[in-house]
Amino acid sequence: MSMFGRDPWGGPLEINAADSATDDDRSRNLQDYDRAALSSSRQLDETQQSWLLGPTEQKKKKKYVDLGCIVVSRKIFIWTVGTIVAVGFLAGLITLIVKTVPRHHHPGPPPDNYTVALHKALMFFNAQRSGKLPKHNNVSWRGDSCLNDGKSDSATIFRDLKGGYYDAGDAIKFHFPGSFTITMLSWSVIEYSQKYEAAGELNHVKDIIKWGTDYFLKTFNSSADTIDRVVAQVGSGDTSGGSTTANDHYCWMRPEDIDYPRPVTECHSCSDLAGEMAAALAAASIVFKDNKAYSKKLVRGAAALFKFARQQRGRYSAGGTEAAIFYNSTMYWDEFIWGGAWLYYATGNSSYLQLATTPGLAKHAGAFWGGPDYGVLSWDNKLTGAQVLLSRLRLFLSPGYPYEEILRTFHNQTSIVMCSYLPVFTSFNRTRGGLIQLNHGRPQPLQYVVNAAFLAALYSDYLDAADTPGWYCGPNFYSTDVLREFARTQIDYILGKNPQKMSYLVGFGNHYPRHVHHRGASIPKNRIKYNCKGGWKWRDSKKPNPNTIVGAMVAGPDKHDGFHDVRTNYNYTEPTLAGNAGLVAALVALSGDKSMGIDKNTIFSAVPPMFPTPPPPPAPWKP
């Protein structure tokens, strides 16, 4: 007989009554049945298994780390952190080894001589500053000076004339050569800002220019559109007739110690001075075109000055003024062309271009008749500079009618001038050492030489930028390299490649003038105030100057390459603002990589398109 029961877990359970097995056998059979049940298709949970099988070995629980945004295995977390720490340690160790192990540096090529000389030549302007000096002036032996300029002369309406630059070795502020200085520096920045930047001097030269323009804005009513007077000079230097009146030439004093009256010279009919000042402010407005408010202020001042120059005709040095002794102006027609060209570039107003290209003005300025000084750019005659400046317009914009004829003439005249600089022509003599005699053997030749070197290098760059390999001198073709070579040989002469082996740039090389004709440099800064005559002992001393006026280009050698390093002979040893401005311009043009070239477009920033913009094409036809 068999009995059927119910497995308490839901499975069938069969017991055979006829089975004669013992209790132990039955127990073993039951255990076999239990195992069979466990291996059946139905899975038991852990509790059920534990009832059947008894206690089993417990599994290890995994541990986790809760990172907030994610839960990860603790083992993985420890391995990851350990790997990061190990990698970081290894990277730090490698960095430490790399930094501590000595390496062989391969510095870039040293700056060329022209760049080295440029750094020094710009420092001269810091030494010439008048007024309250900025903290970063970097000339230890200079201090605030002539803070009462304007106030000390009751005859003038211009009460605040502190600032600006002293012209040379004295403390007079001559505005005619001073404004030419600012024009030349501005021109060089407009053309070669990239080279100034590469030399690390762009901010410095712009600061030098602004120191000058800030001052010139005080010398006339710069807030008015129409003016009736301009300050021509501050200080006095006339010692004619044996005058013993204390002034800037009779006395030998540091500017910081000046206590004598400094008269202000105004002019009411000075086309040359006002035209040059207009050129300076207009050119500087392009330099500062990114400072729109200041640039606009400069343009407004330039326009007022040029209007005054055109309406009140006359030379600023006429009528027996002191200016006729020191900086006599021969005419004002060249300033009309020069100032008109700069105002056209600064404003884009075609009326200025029409004036600058008027054939009558060019004729009066001597553009067609030559002369012994034809082709010589100086603080007095700007015709050559104006012709180069307007040739630029023809080369790059080609404005056509009605300007083409006179611009072509200026371009041809510029080519002739460049030919005259070459050694194969006899327009100008040369010393045995190779210095071109642009002032025909007269004293102080270097100021003219540096201007010619600048124009030659600049015109060479114009031709290169216009993809023109050279120019013709009669039937002969000359490459642009010939012009650059002329510029290099002249500047190299000034820097020491001359029969005297003398660098005429103070502080450049080891052999340079030590007795520079300069009051501030020749008197020690020893807290002793030397009066008007008390400084004469320093003027007449045979000892070198106690202060080195770094960057000053002295007047230069004579026509036989001779030079006398004597403080009392200003024809050899006196530096000037205008001379140094031309030197700076020439140096930056020759410095660095020739491939850098000129900035073709900045000067044309305000110039509108020469031809009207063509209308847009018609819309496509639709049926």
Side-chain angles (χ1 to χ4, degrees):
M1 177 181 177
S2 63
M3 294 180 61
F4 297 91
R6 190 83 183 160
D7 185 346
W9 317 126
L13 180 62
E14 181 180 2
I15 302 174
N16 191 344
D19 195 353
S20 61
T22 63
D23 290 342
D24 288 339
D25 292 336
R26 284 196 295 271
S27 176
R28 281 194 294 271
N29 290 336
L30 283 172
Q31 288 177 3
D32 292 336
Y33 283 129
D34 287 343
R35 290 189 184 96
L38 287 173
S39 63
S40 69
S41 61
R42 184 176 176 205
Q43 296 295 320
L44 302 181
D45 61 24
E46 288 184 1
T47 304
Q48 292 171 333
Q49 291 181 32
S50 67
W51 289 346
L52 289 173
L53 303 177
T56 59
E57 191 177 310
Q58 203 142 14
K59 289 182 181 178
K60 283 186 179 179
K61 277 191 176 181
K62 285 188 176 181
K63 295 183 180 180
Y64 297 90
V65 177
D66 188 350
L67 299 177
C69 58
I70 189 171
V71 177
V72 297
S73 166
R74 183 178 178 185
K75 188 175 182 181
I76 294 174
F77 176 74
I78 291 172
W79 269 100
T80 303
V81 171
T83 302
I84 293 172
V85 170
V87 170
F89 176 77
L90 188 60
L93 185 63
I94 293 171
T95 303
L96 184 64
I97 293 171
V98 168
K99 285 187 175 292
T100 53
V101 171
R103 290 172 293 170
H104 295 289
H105 293 279
H106 297 285
D112 56 86
N113 278 346
Y114 305 123
T115 302
V116 174
L118 176 66
H119 294 310
K120 296 182 182 298
L122 286 168
M123 282 302 299
F124 172 71
F125 296 95
N126 294 48
Q128 294 300 102
R129 278 179 168 149
S130 176
K132 187 170 181 58
L133 301 184
K135 291 181 180 178
H136 57 275
N137 197 50
N138 298 328
V139 181
S140 61
W141 45 272
R142 283 301 324 278
D144 299 344
S145 61
C146 297
L147 300 178
N148 291 319
D149 279 358
K151 293 179 184 177
S152 60
D153 188 348
S154 58
T156 182
I157 63 170
F158 301 99
R159 309 306 296 166
D160 178 14
L161 291 175
K162 62 178 177 288
Y165 292 98
Y166 300 126
D167 172 66
D170 49 34
I172 303 176
K173 293 187 280 194
F174 289 110
H175 297 171
F176 191 47
S179 51
F180 175 71
T181 296
I182 299 302
T183 311
M184 289 292 287
L185 290 176
S186 297
W187 193 2
S188 72
V189 172
I190 292 166
E191 302 285 13
Y192 296 110
S193 60
Q194 193 178 357
K195 287 192 172 187
Y196 275 115
E197 185 75 59
E201 290 287 2
L202 182 59
N203 290 334
H204 185 194
V205 71
K206 288 173 76 172
D207 187 44
I208 290 169
I209 293 168
K210 191 172 185 297
W211 188 268
T213 53
D214 283 350
Y215 172 71
F216 284 128
L217 288 171
K218 299 177 181 181
T219 63
F220 65 101
N221 186 359
S222 57
S223 62
D225 294 327
T226 302
I227 60 176
D228 65 353
R229 68 188 70 189
V230 174
V231 176
Q233 177 181 323
V234 177
S236 175
D238 186 10
T239 57
S240 60
S243 172
T244 58
T245 303
N247 67 22
D248 294 291
H249 281 181
Y250 182 75
C251 300
W252 195 268
M253 301 174 68
R254 297 178 70 244
E256 294 79 1
D257 296 334
I258 288 175
D259 54 6
Y260 48 77
R262 284 169 58 81
V264 174
T265 304
E266 296 179 4
C267 67
H268 299 263
S269 177
C270 40
S271 301
D272 36 19
L273 171 62
E276 183 55 62
M277 288 177 66
L281 298 188
S285 76
I286 302 173
V287 172
F288 297 107
K289 66 183 180 64
D290 293 334
N291 184 345
K292 295 189 183 304
Y294 190 65
S295 181
K296 187 176 179 181
K297 188 175 184 180
L298 293 174
V299 168
R300 183 178 184 181
L305 285 163
F306 200 69
K307 180 181 177 183
F308 170 67
R310 295 285 295 157
Q311 291 179 346
Q312 303 295 325
R313 302 286 180 91
R315 292 186 302 116
Y316 94 110
S317 57
T321 62
E322 213 177 82
I325 304 172
F326 304 111
Y327 286 103
N328 184 48
S329 173
T330 52
M331 67 173 79
Y332 51 74
W333 303 106
D334 53 313
E335 279 84 17
F336 283 166
I337 303 173
W338 177 245
W342 278 116
L343 270 161
Y344 172 66
Y345 286 137
T347 65
N349 186 332
S350 61
S351 66
Y352 292 117
L353 180 60
Q354 290 167 10
L355 176 68
T357 55
T358 302
L361 281 186
K363 180 181 178 181
H364 286 305
F368 310 130
W369 49 265
D373 294 325
Y374 191 79
V376 181
L377 173 63
S378 71
W379 51 262
D380 177 29
N381 196 322
K382 290 91 183 186
L383 175 64
T384 304
Q387 289 178 327
V388 172
L389 193 61
L390 290 169
S391 295
R392 187 193 211 283
L393 182 66
R394 183 173 188 256
L395 278 167
F396 299 124
L397 293 189
S398 189
Y401 181 83
Y403 311 110
E404 170 59 21
E405 185 176 353
I406 188 68
L407 290 181
R408 184 175 66 248
T409 300
F410 285 157
H411 195 172
N412 290 338
Q413 294 295 330
T414 296
S415 296
I416 293 171
V417 168
M418 296 301 151
C419 296
S420 73
Y421 292 161
L422 303 184
V424 295
F425 297 95
T426 57
S427 303
F428 300 102
N429 293 327
R430 278 171 165 73
T431 66
R432 289 189 176 182
L435 186 70
I436 190 170
Q437 294 288 284
L438 294 169
N439 64 339
H440 305 288
R442 296 188 292 269
Q444 307 175 28
L446 296 188
Q447 59 180 310
Y448 309 102
V449 172
V450 291
N451 290 341
F454 169 61
L455 292 183
L458 179 63
Y459 190 64
S460 168
D461 285 338
Y462 283 175
L463 295 179
D464 286 342
D467 294 323
T468 305
W471 85 112
Y472 280 95
C473 295
N476 299 315
F477 184 82
Y478 292 91
S479 75
T480 56
D481 291 337
V482 174
L483 277 180
R484 292 190 73 82
E485 183 60 23
F486 160 75
R488 275 195 293 266
T489 57
Q490 297 305 302
I491 297 302
D492 288 348
Y493 181 103
I494 293 170
L495 297 181
K497 288 186 178 179
N498 55 64
Q500 298 286 337
K501 301 292 188 291
M502 167 76 76
S503 165
Y504 295 115
L505 178 65
V506 176
F508 183 85
N510 296 319
H511 187 209
Y512 53 81
R514 309 282 176 165
H515 303 79
V516 180
H517 182 94
H518 192 277
R519 285 158 176 77
S522 65
I523 301 175
K525 185 180 180 181
N526 56 9
R527 298 186 180 181
I528 298 175
K529 179 179 178 179
Y530 298 95
N531 61 23
C532 177
K533 294 182 181 180
W536 286 4
K537 70 176 183 179
W538 300 108
R539 177 194 66 189
D540 301 331
S541 169
K542 304 298 182 185
K543 295 180 180 179
N545 288 351
N547 307 309
T548 302
I549 183 163
V550 174
M553 184 186 75
V554 296
D558 58 32
K559 60 184 178 181
H560 304 294
D561 296 310
F563 181 79
H564 301 288
D565 188 6
V566 179
R567 189 179 299 109
T568 51
N569 194 332
Y570 58 84
N571 280 330
Y572 288 110
T573 59
E574 186 170 26
T576 64
L577 287 178
N580 255 72
L583 175 66
V584 164
L587 288 171
V588 74
L590 293 172
S591 70
D593 188 354
K594 181 194 170 187
S595 64
M596 220 175 273
I598 58 161
D599 180 343
K600 281 175 62 174
N601 300 319
T602 293
I603 200 170
F604 299 132
S605 298
V607 175
M610 303 306 288
F611 302 100
T613 306
W621 179 79
K622 292 181 181 180

